[in-house]
Amino acid sequence: MEERGQRSNRRLVLVPCPFQGHITPMLNLGSLLHSEGFSIVIAHTNFNHPDPSGFPNFTFASIPDCLPKDVLSSGDAAAIFASLNTNCRGPLRQVLSDMMAKDGATENKISCVIYETLMYCAEAAAHYMKLPSMALRTSSISTQLVFSELPRLQKEGYFPSKDRSSKDPVPGAYPLRCKDLPFFTTDLEPMMQLIATILDIRTSSAILWNTADCLEQQLSDQLQKQYSVPFISLGPLHKVAPASSTSILEEETDCLLWLDKQANDSVIYVSLGSLASMDEGEFAETAWGLANSGQPFLWVVRPGSVRGSEWIELLPGGFKEAIQETGRLVRWAPQKDVLAHRAVGGFWTHCGWNSTLESISEGVPMICRPCFMDQNVNARYLCHVWRVGLELEGDLDQKEIEQAVRRLMVEEEGKEMRLRAVAFKDQIELSIRKGGSSHAAMEELVNLIISL
Ligand code: UDP
């Protein structure tokens, strides 16, 4: 086999999708492949571009994305991804062509283009330039499995769910109930078209997954039957190849000093990720539910995530005074460090796939409050299959929040969830060590790239 030291003339062009939950796993993958000796180029959009300062060993090439402001502010995911892919295809081809021209007769060459599946234009650009490509999926295999079933479920009348609270089982989609099916906040047909596009990986040579066999092996075997290319489950990538900060927003790291002062497993960490939002009423119920639970809490209120306000102006009167001793609010946290902190004993999460993996990897059980897209699917797996989470259902109500926090943080039920979460943490640690499944997957990937 080719020695690691001989690989630096093999260049891998990585194309992330420009949103936080997608950029992080791609940069982690870059770090992993760089540690295996490859040269890494990140071809990124100007919009939400990653900070190159944390990655001195990577080359960064910008693709002018020309993402129109009105499309971006519409919040219409299908329109945003359609526009991104249409606008980036030509410039990306140009970036590849310029690199190849520069390489000329030298030893250097692009070995592969690895793109996040939402940036499917990269596959087309690579194919046009006669370069091999691979797809990285940054959501769970369970999500992709249900995505592949959506056309059938739509025909059979189960999707979109007429009753978003229905607990009726969905035929052929165990363990999902109607309420667990993906929820889209925009028009259905363009979303169905987008899903069909990302499910079809066309000429790509493999699908890389940010997941681990101890979580999703059975689902991987099931979905693999629909594809002729290998599935390579490398995750959790943030554990396999921790990168320096991949955050687009500035992290308020001093919250870690506040955590240092709290007792072990006592703090509930609350965050809805980089996209979800709530209204003023939900914000007030959350505030009082947390305050009245009596548990210390660290709450991320991302600027703009409370509709109609800049940051925390809509906090109810008397709240700040009530939580002086117990609570801490931040705009954006160093989430992975927070979850790894000994003081954090629970995570109230929107169940984005990165947050899900980051919490399980640290043995932290969860209160699951999914908002849209794949989050409902992840929440169902967390609560019903892996049994490391409890679901907070219906309209947000301070009494129910208070109870959910106590169930997770204090009661027997929560302690059992924590034990199961810690067991997963141990399994994940084994899977990324030599001899583990994610480690073996990394070796498979390296060999595959060399063979292309
Ligand atoms: N995150 C963070 N600080 C915060 C909140 C979130 O660093 O205060 C990170 C988190 O660690 C995760 C990502 O943002 O890696 C969110 O991704 P996820 O897939 O969980 O949700 P999305 O934002 O895509 O809905």
Side-chain angles (χ1 to χ4, degrees), residues 75-215:
D76 181 336
I80 290 171
F81 291 122
S83 175
L84 256 179
N85 279 281
T86 306
N87 296 346
C88 288
R89 182 171 307 152
L92 184 58
R93 211 194 270 176
Q94 191 60 48
V95 165
L96 295 175
S97 148
D98 290 349
M99 268 189 242
M100 289 162 85
K102 220 165 153 194
D103 289 344
T106 67
E107 295 262 279
N108 294 338
K109 67 173 180 116
I110 300 175
S111 290
C112 189
V113 174
I114 303 181
Y115 64 98
E116 140 82 28
T117 42
L118 281 161
M119 291 298 283
Y120 49 85
C121 66
E123 180 276 335
H127 185 56
Y128 182 84
M129 300 304 295
K130 301 196 171 33
L131 290 168
S133 68
M134 291 183 190
L136 169 70
R137 289 287 293 162
T138 57
S139 53
S140 62
I141 296 185
S142 47
T143 295
Q144 176 144 339
L145 203 53
V146 67
F147 276 180
S148 71
E149 291 289 326
L150 287 184
R152 170 181 72 80
L153 296 173
Q154 189 180 17
K155 242 185 246 151
E156 294 174 3
Y158 290 96
F159 178 78
S161 194
K162 286 175 201 77
D163 174 4
R164 281 202 64 210
S165 60
S166 164
K167 293 189 178 169
D168 290 345
V170 181
Y174 179 83
L176 303 184
R177 305 158 298 175
C178 292
K179 74 189 284 283
D180 306 317
L181 290 174
F183 172 68
F184 304 131
T185 49
T186 52
D187 289 346
L188 186 63
E189 278 322 308
M191 275 313 287
M192 294 296 277
Q193 227 170 353
L194 174 67
I195 288 171
T197 307
I198 60 176
L199 289 180
D200 178 6
I201 56 144
R202 293 161 298 272
T203 61
S204 294
S205 311
I207 306 184
L208 317 182
W209 296 93
N210 185 18
T211 190
D213 277 358
C214 61
L215 295 171

Side-chain angles (χ1 to χ4, degrees), residues 113-367:
V113 174
I114 303 181
Y115 64 98
E116 140 82 28
T117 42
L118 281 161
M119 291 298 283
Y120 49 85
C121 66
E123 180 276 335
H127 185 56
Y128 182 84
M129 300 304 295
K130 301 196 171 33
L131 290 168
S133 68
M134 291 183 190
L136 169 70
R137 289 287 293 162
T138 57
S139 53
S140 62
I141 296 185
S142 47
T143 295
Q144 176 144 339
L145 203 53
V146 67
F147 276 180
S148 71
E149 291 289 326
L150 287 184
R152 170 181 72 80
L153 296 173
Q154 189 180 17
K155 242 185 246 151
E156 294 174 3
Y158 290 96
F159 178 78
S161 194
K162 286 175 201 77
D163 174 4
R164 281 202 64 210
S165 60
S166 164
K167 293 189 178 169
D168 290 345
V170 181
Y174 179 83
L176 303 184
R177 305 158 298 175
C178 292
K179 74 189 284 283
D180 306 317
L181 290 174
F183 172 68
F184 304 131
T185 49
T186 52
D187 289 346
L188 186 63
E189 278 322 308
M191 275 313 287
M192 294 296 277
Q193 227 170 353
L194 174 67
I195 288 171
T197 307
I198 60 176
L199 289 180
D200 178 6
I201 56 144
R202 293 161 298 272
T203 61
S204 294
S205 311
I207 306 184
L208 317 182
W209 296 93
N210 185 18
T211 190
D213 277 358
C214 61
L215 295 171
E216 298 205 287
Q217 182 173 16
Q218 209 189 333
L219 300 169
S220 171
D221 293 344
Q222 201 179 328
L223 186 64
Q224 171 76 80
K225 294 187 186 123
Q226 298 179 24
Y227 289 86
S228 57
V229 298
F231 277 17
I232 304 183
S233 293
L234 295 156
L237 284 162
H238 74 283
K239 291 302 260 188
V240 173
S244 41
S245 179
T246 57
S247 209
I248 301 172
L249 296 176
E250 193 180 335
E251 296 171 328
E252 292 185 35
T253 49
D254 56 354
C255 64
L256 296 170
L257 299 175
W258 180 82
L259 285 176
D260 287 344
K261 296 190 196 113
Q262 311 301 323
N264 286 356
D265 288 338
S266 65
V267 177
I268 173 111
Y269 169 62
V270 184
S271 161
L272 298 183
S274 63
L275 300 167
S277 59
M278 52 170 63
D279 63 28
E280 182 178 354
E282 294 171 318
F283 189 49
E285 292 298 315
T286 303
W288 287 125
L290 289 172
N292 295 338
S293 75
Q295 284 303 125
F297 63 88
L298 173 61
W299 183 10
V300 178
V301 183
R302 201 184 70 247
S305 66
V306 181
R307 294 191 281 278
S309 75
E310 294 278 317
W311 188 40
I312 53 170
E313 308 84 273
L314 297 176
L315 273 177
F319 173 77
K320 277 193 196 155
E321 296 71 23
I323 62 139
Q324 260 169 11
E325 299 297 316
T326 53
R328 180 77 200 253
L329 272 69
V330 293
R331 291 175 171 79
W332 191 251
Q335 180 164 303
K336 291 185 258 307
D337 296 332
V338 166
L339 288 168
H341 197 286
R342 52 146 195 90
V344 172
F347 181 12
W348 170 349
T349 173
H350 70 307
C351 306
W353 184 237
N354 292 286
S355 295
T356 299
L357 285 176
E358 289 161 12
S359 201
I360 293 181
S361 302
E362 298 305 337
V364 176
M366 285 155 262
I367 291 176

Side-chain angles (χ1 to χ4, degrees), residues 11-26:
R11 195 176 289 156
L12 305 176
V13 180
L14 273 48
V15 188
C17 168
F19 292 94
Q20 183 68 72
H22 305 261
I23 290 174
T24 300
M26 189 59 99

